[in-house]
Amino acid sequence: MPMISETLLIPISIHLLWCWSIASAFTDPSNVQALQVLYGSLNSPAQLTGWSSSGADPCGDAWRGVSCDGSSVVEIKVSGLGLNGTMGYMLSNLLMLRTLDLSDNGIHDTIPYQLPPNLTSLNLASNNLSGNLPYSISSMTSLNYLNVSHNSLTQSIGDMFANLSNLASIDLSFNNFSGDLPNSFSSLSNLSMLNVQSNKLTGSINALKDLPLANLNVANNNFSGWIPRELNTIPNFIYDGNSFDNGPAPPPPPYTSPPPKKSRNNHSHQGPHTNSTPVSDSNDSHSKNRSDQGLGAGYLVGIIMGSTLVGLCIMLALVFCLRKFSKDKYDKERSPLTSTRNLVVGADRANSEIPELRVKSLAAVTDLKPLPTEKLIGERVQPSFGIGKKARTPITANSYTVASLQTATNSFSQEYLVVKALLDVFTEQNFLTERFWL
């Protein structure tokens, strides 16, 4: 067997060593293909030194801005290099890519629908991107940082954040987003910073009230309604340039109050001790509303009890007045008889106390001469007690002239007072008798 000379062993060893080094630095072909397409879509800029559209090794040749972990590309950072063109269509092949930063360039067109699925940081800020956010972002569950600010993105933001609980920072500012904030924002339990200023967003910001935000900027949009009182605890909160209602947020239904006048001259606040939001006194207002609600119930009970007492008093007063009216009427009917009795008793007392006057008065009465004629007073009907016949009984009375009475009583002087009283009694008795028969 022939022996291999040493002069041949040296070149063979060098060749094998070179092949081994190439094999050990060889990048995942799918990653190489994705970067080659990106390089071509960016118009093969000279700023990306080391990059190539064919026959290259991104991990072994040290492409600018590319970092690898073994044979996989895990980071692409080419910010601020004045790049233009588009982002290509094969970024989804970069399965191990964690950071993609293409910010501060002139990249235009839309954001590719297929993005690296396992990104933790995506920064496309300050480009000329248009269209909207691709819905594929909803499946990027490891995403922690999202920045697409200072572009020309339009339409609604998209309700795609329900599974992105790892997101801590979102910057969508200075675009043309419209519509309401997505309800899935409420699922971002680790979100500490949200910038959506300078868009055309509308509706309320209630979806943000339970988030652990430390920085919130919603300025220069078309938001309306009340600012939730929970946002008052945010250290850095900017909200000017919207149509928020002044004053604190109203209590929950049904105790809603009419909305006050709207104003776009809202303000911002920074720091927990310099808050000037419209909801700065929301806690006091909330407690006041609860107090007013309790007082309202007390007033209602008081009104009911007071009305009942007033009704009882009115009923008692009516009963009292009716009884008094009946008693007065009864007393008036009995007063003629009572006065008659009093006059008779008084006359008896006067006669007993002044016998001489009595004798003189009787003498004077006996001197009175009756008129020569007797006049029939009238016919009175006597009850027949069931017989059915009418009995007529003539009632007669002597008549005297006033002149004769004045002569007999010396013009009704004091000494003839008893006589006058007796005459009054007789007159009253005749009156009562007539009433009885009538």
Side-chain angles (χ1 to χ4, degrees):
M1 183 176 180
M3 298 294 294
I4 300 176
S5 63
E6 295 180 359
T7 57
L8 293 176
L9 288 174
I10 294 174
I12 292 174
S13 299
I14 295 174
H15 180 74
L16 291 175
L17 181 62
W18 178 78
C19 291
W20 177 83
S21 63
I22 291 178
S24 62
F26 188 75
T27 308
D28 187 333
S30 61
N31 289 189
V32 174
Q33 185 179 13
L35 290 180
Q36 288 175 346
V37 171
L38 176 61
Y39 181 66
S41 299
L42 294 174
N43 300 320
S44 303
Q47 301 93 309
L48 296 179
T49 57
W51 288 54
S52 174
S53 57
S54 61
D57 182 12
C59 296
D61 295 343
W63 288 17
R64 182 177 183 177
V66 176
S67 299
C68 298
D69 183 6
S71 60
S72 300
V73 177
V74 295
E75 187 177 84
I76 299 175
K77 290 184 177 180
V78 288
S79 175
L81 298 180
L83 306 176
N84 54 43
T86 64
M87 297 175 60
Y89 57 89
M90 295 191 68
L91 293 177
S92 59
N93 287 350
L94 300 171
L95 298 178
M96 301 302 294
L97 191 66
R98 297 289 182 263
T99 302
L100 177 61
D101 186 355
L102 302 177
S103 60
D104 297 310
N105 286 291
I107 302 174
H108 56 84
D109 209 352
T110 61
I111 301 174
Y113 180 80
Q114 297 293 336
L115 292 170
N118 296 309
L119 284 176
T120 59
S121 176
L122 175 61
N123 190 351
L124 304 176
S126 301
N127 281 283
N128 296 321
L129 297 171
S130 58
N132 58 352
L133 289 175
Y135 192 76
S136 60
I137 292 178
S138 62
S139 61
M140 299 165 61
T141 57
S142 300
L143 194 62
N144 177 265
Y145 176 84
L146 173 63
N147 189 348
V148 292
S149 62
H150 294 87
N151 280 285
S152 300
L153 300 176
T154 58
Q155 303 181 31
S156 62
I157 295 175
D159 202 8
M160 61 182 73
F161 299 89
N163 299 321
L164 305 184
S165 59
N166 290 319
L167 264 175
S169 178
I170 299 177
D171 194 343
L172 309 177
S173 60
F174 296 95
N175 280 284
N176 293 313
F177 287 117
S178 59
D180 298 347
L181 292 178
N183 292 328
S184 56
F185 267 176
S186 60
S187 302
L188 301 175
S189 57
N190 290 308
L191 191 66
S192 62
M193 188 193 79
L194 176 62
N195 292 334
V196 293
Q197 70 270 23
S198 299
N199 279 283
K200 299 177 181 178
L201 298 171
T202 57
S204 69
I205 57 175
N206 292 337
L208 310 177
K209 64 181 181 180
D210 295 323
L211 300 182
L213 292 166
N215 297 276
L216 175 61
N217 192 336
V218 297
N220 300 319
N221 279 282
N222 296 317
F223 289 120
S224 59
W226 282 275
I227 297 177
R229 63 178 179 272
E230 291 85 355
L231 300 183
N232 186 41
T233 59
I234 298 177
N236 298 298
F237 180 27
I238 303 174
Y239 53 87
D240 57 303
N242 284 283
S243 300
F244 289 122
D245 292 312
N246 293 325
Y255 304 104
T256 56
S257 59
K261 295 181 179 180
K262 294 182 178 181
S263 173
R264 294 187 64 89
N265 297 324
N266 296 298
H267 303 286
S268 60
H269 70 79
Q270 295 183 351
H273 303 291
T274 59
N275 295 345
S276 61
T277 65
V279 295
S280 58
D281 59 342
S282 59
N283 293 330
D284 295 338
S285 176
H286 181 65
S287 61
K288 183 178 180 181
N289 288 331
R290 294 181 61 186
S291 176
D292 291 344
Q293 183 180 352
L295 290 176
Y299 287 147
L300 182 60
V301 174
I303 290 173
I304 294 174
M305 295 181 65
S307 301
T308 304
L309 291 177
V310 170
L312 291 175
C313 292
I314 292 174
M315 292 179 64
L316 291 175
L318 289 175
V319 172
F320 177 77
C321 291
L322 290 174
R323 293 187 63 184
K324 185 176 181 181
F325 176 75
S326 301
K327 184 178 180 181
D328 291 343
K329 185 176 180 181
Y330 177 75
D331 291 342
K332 286 181 179 179
E333 292 177 353
R334 290 179 56 87
S335 60
L337 295 176
T338 304
S339 62
T340 302
R341 293 192 187 97
N342 291 336
L343 287 173
V344 172
V345 173
D348 293 341
R349 287 182 180 177
N351 292 333
S352 63
E353 292 175 359
I354 313 174
E356 295 179 357
L357 181 59
R358 179 183 181 187
V359 173
K360 186 177 180 180
S361 299
L362 292 174
V365 172
T366 57
D367 292 337
L368 292 176
K369 294 180 179 182
L371 294 175
T373 60
E374 294 180 355
K375 185 178 181 181
L376 184 63
I377 299 303
E379 296 180 351
R380 298 292 180 261
V381 179
Q382 185 176 3
S384 60
F385 301 98
I387 299 176
K389 296 182 178 180
K390 296 182 179 179
R392 296 183 178 179
T393 303
I395 299 175
T396 59
N398 294 328
S399 300
Y400 299 93
T401 63
V402 176
S404 62
L405 291 175
Q406 288 180 345
T407 301
T409 61
N410 196 16
S411 298
F412 303 104
S413 62
Q414 183 69 27
E415 59 185 359
Y416 294 100
L417 180 61
V418 175
V419 176
K420 183 178 183 295
L422 290 174
L423 292 174
D424 293 338
V425 170
F426 294 151
T427 304
E428 190 70 21
Q429 287 177 345
N430 291 334
F431 174 76
L432 293 174
T433 304
E434 291 177 0
R435 289 190 62 188
F436 175 77
W437 289 110
L438 289 174

